[in-house]
Amino acid sequence: MSAPKEIEESRASAPFHIMVKPIGPKCNLDCTYCFYLEKEVLFGDGERWKMDDATLESYVRRYIEAQPADPVTFAWQGGEPTLCGVDFFEKVVKWQKQYGKGRQIDNAFQTNGTLLDDEWGAFLKRENFLVGLSIDGPAEVHDALRVKRSGAGSHAEVMKGLEFLKKHRVDFNTLTCVNRANQDKGAEVYAFLKGIGSRYMQFIPIIERLPDAEAKKLGLSHATPPKFAEEDENLDAPVTDWSVQPKAYGRFMWSMFKRWVQHDVGKIYVQLFDVALGKWAGVPGGLCVYSEECGRAMALEHDGSLYSCDHYVYPEFKIGNINEQSMAEMADSPQQKAFGKAKRETLPKFCIECDFRFTCNGGCPKHRFLLTPEDDPGLNYLCSGYRFIFGKMDPYMKAMAELYRNGQPPAAVMQLIKEKRLPKPA
């Protein structure tokens, strides 16, 4: 791991986001669907996985300096970031205060929860970290794929970790991976998450293709991202048997939306529904997955390597190293701009003409590996699921968007349904 150079950081042209992997792909769990565990092969044997202090301090200082506006949000992921220890993050906070100079600093911390204890709870509360807890639902579905290295399920340990968060009154949300084990249990998963006190929910569809030739050459068991080229031999390639199925994903989200739109608008915040409402209301911004272009959300590895995206930590998508280059310059580099624009420029005609293009914009490029009905490359694997859920949501989203434009709370949609001015979702 190279020592950081003395780099004078510049301000980026626009805000950008970096997801930090302070301990790389190292994790105490062995989740069946995790695409990140095998990233170890990209860094060589004998790698020192924990980010060293010099790189960490340089990152904290320069990330603050590079951001053109507040808040400056730090996002810590893994692997499993609790493996770094509380003392690691004590240093993070110390340097944030030292270099923040009055700026608003926020911290988001994604964890599997199994290593949380009183020390972690006290620290996370004291320093106002927002914790994302990874949990896939009740034990029977969570334990199907989120397992320990012994093969045993991890649900009991996650729930114990959650109790430490509640004990110390730490703000938390939940991140649920939608996969083959829980795709038919949307209503049960939603009820479970509400029951454990989650008020902010993210649902991430798990989609991994079987390895292509390039992945095998790198020693990976999952396919590399699609190239959107006619000669891409991996278009329409099969997915792993634990990947969510497209229409099942749509039904999973619809089973939640039916309950949410009648009872929980303004009380429970579901990321997909919030982003979709913004699209229907014409509000700028939103999640990169559904933006017309991407490229402002990058991934930082433990050794200082910066990649175009968390889903693209492959050699060809490395844009530099923060120990050697300016973060702002890398974020604004021609390579990164081209990466972001490719999402829009490679959209097939089928997507361009779709009624719901304004909502999904083709989805994440990593998942655009199917052929359209016209045999054009670049169709998102989830297309049929997206069309299902967005079609079902349409009348309710239009009503909420109209309420918003008229200065009324979107939650008033629940009363419209109760008064039968909108049909009850079936």
Side-chain angles (χ1 to χ4, degrees):
M1 195 179 297
S2 58
K5 295 179 180 179
E6 286 297 325
I7 298 172
E8 185 174 342
E9 191 59 73
S10 56
R11 288 282 174 98
S13 62
F16 64 94
H17 179 76
I18 291 181
M19 183 183 292
V20 189
K21 311 283 188 175
I23 201 157
K26 286 294 182 180
C27 187
N28 62 314
L29 297 187
D30 192 18
C31 302
T32 305
Y33 53 62
C34 183
F35 71 94
Y36 227 85
L37 290 178
E38 66 179 13
K39 296 295 182 183
E40 294 182 18
V41 304
L42 299 179
F43 296 96
D45 295 332
E47 180 74 26
R48 181 179 181 275
W49 293 102
K50 188 175 179 180
M51 184 178 283
D52 63 43
D53 285 356
T55 300
L56 179 63
E57 182 177 6
S58 177
Y59 168 67
V60 171
R61 173 179 63 82
R62 291 168 46 221
Y63 184 65
I64 294 171
E65 293 173 353
Q67 292 296 338
D70 286 355
V72 180
T73 301
F74 287 80
W76 307 96
Q77 287 213 356
E80 174 48 45
T82 54
L83 290 172
C84 291
V86 172
D87 60 328
F88 180 93
F89 289 96
E90 293 277 15
K91 287 181 281 191
V92 166
V93 172
K94 178 186 73 172
W95 288 321
Q96 287 175 341
K97 292 175 180 176
Q98 178 180 339
Y99 298 116
K101 298 175 182 177
R103 300 191 65 176
Q104 181 184 341
I105 307 292
D106 295 335
N107 284 285
F109 187 88
Q110 189 66 42
T111 176
N112 62 38
T114 60
L115 300 178
L116 295 175
D117 56 18
D118 277 319
E119 184 184 16
W120 273 110
F123 167 79
L124 294 166
K125 178 61 177 178
R126 183 178 72 247
E127 302 302 341
N128 199 31
F129 274 52
L130 173 62
V131 174
L133 184 70
S134 298
I135 187 165
D136 288 353
E140 63 270 19
V141 293
H142 177 98
D143 286 344
L145 298 172
R146 293 194 65 83
V147 296
K148 296 179 281 190
R149 296 192 179 277
S150 65
S154 61
H155 192 268
E157 286 89 342
V158 178
M159 294 300 292
K160 185 177 179 181
L162 174 60
E163 290 309 309
F164 284 113
L165 296 179
K166 290 181 175 180
K167 175 182 176 181
H168 292 274
R169 299 182 179 180
V170 177
D171 290 335
F172 74 94
N173 58 36
T174 52
L175 187 152
T176 299
C177 293
V178 188
N179 55 72
R180 201 72 61 92
N182 64 6
Q183 65 180 19
D184 298 322
K185 299 181 182 294
E188 294 94 321
V189 169
Y190 185 63
F192 171 80
L193 295 175
K194 283 181 61 176
I196 64 172
S198 177
R199 294 298 175 264
Y200 297 86
M201 305 176 186
Q202 298 179 60
F203 295 94
I204 308 298
I206 295 298
I207 305 157
E208 291 295 336
R209 295 177 298 159
L210 296 176
D212 56 359
E214 187 174 347
K216 291 176 181 176
K217 184 171 64 176
L218 293 170
L220 304 175
S221 60
H222 302 154
T224 53
K227 306 285 193 303
F228 307 120
E230 292 286 354
E231 64 273 13
D232 188 339
E233 64 182 26
N234 212 38
L235 288 170
D236 268 335
V239 297
T240 57
D241 57 10
W242 31 258
S243 293
V244 66
Q245 295 169 306
K247 290 182 180 178
Y249 172 74
R251 292 192 297 269
F252 179 93
M253 297 308 303
W254 174 243
S255 67
M256 294 186 184
F257 184 86
K258 288 190 295 184
R259 290 155 179 80
W260 176 80
V261 79
Q262 294 181 81
H263 307 292
D264 296 326
V265 182
K267 305 172 190 174
I268 303 290
Y269 297 89
V270 179
Q271 186 183 61
L272 176 63
F273 305 159
D274 288 350
V275 171
L277 178 55
K279 297 288 187 178
W280 258 271
V283 177
L287 199 63
C288 64
V289 172
Y290 305 112
S291 299
E292 190 173 18
E293 294 185 1
C294 56
R296 303 304 289 183
M298 294 162 281
L300 179 67
E301 279 291 342
H302 60 292
D303 64 348
S305 298
L306 191 64
Y307 292 83
S308 288
C309 172
D310 178 45
H311 286 161
Y312 284 78
V313 178
Y314 298 95
E316 65 186 291
F317 297 103
K318 180 179 175 180
I319 54 178
N321 191 297
I322 67 164
N323 291 329
E324 301 168 357
Q325 298 158 268
S326 159
M327 277 184 274
E329 290 176 1
M330 286 187 281
D332 290 334
S333 66
Q335 178 184 348
Q336 187 63 5
K337 287 180 179 179
F339 174 85
K341 289 179 179 178
K343 182 181 180 185
R344 170 175 51 83
E345 294 173 351
T346 57
L347 204 61
K349 180 183 177 183
F350 182 80
C351 294
I352 292 171
E353 296 176 349
C354 176
D355 290 342
F356 298 111
R357 179 195 171 180
F358 76 97
T359 313
C360 81
N361 284 300
C364 181
K366 182 187 178 184
H367 302 148
R368 285 160 53 176
F369 55 83
L370 297 186
L371 297 172
T372 71
E374 295 81 23
D375 288 333
D376 294 324
L379 182 67
N380 196 296
Y381 171 81
L382 289 175
C383 178
S384 60
Y386 282 153
R387 291 163 70 89
F388 176 86
I389 182 61
F390 294 145
K392 289 282 194 179
M393 287 163 46
D394 183 60
Y396 307 98
M397 286 297 174
K398 284 178 177 174
M400 285 189 283
E402 185 66 20
L403 288 165
Y404 171 80
R405 283 190 287 266
N406 291 332
Q408 300 178 59
V413 72
M414 296 185 290
Q415 187 63 30
L416 296 180
I417 296 172
K418 188 177 293 185
E419 294 174 355
K420 299 184 179 179
R421 294 160 66 186
L422 272 175
K424 185 178 179 179

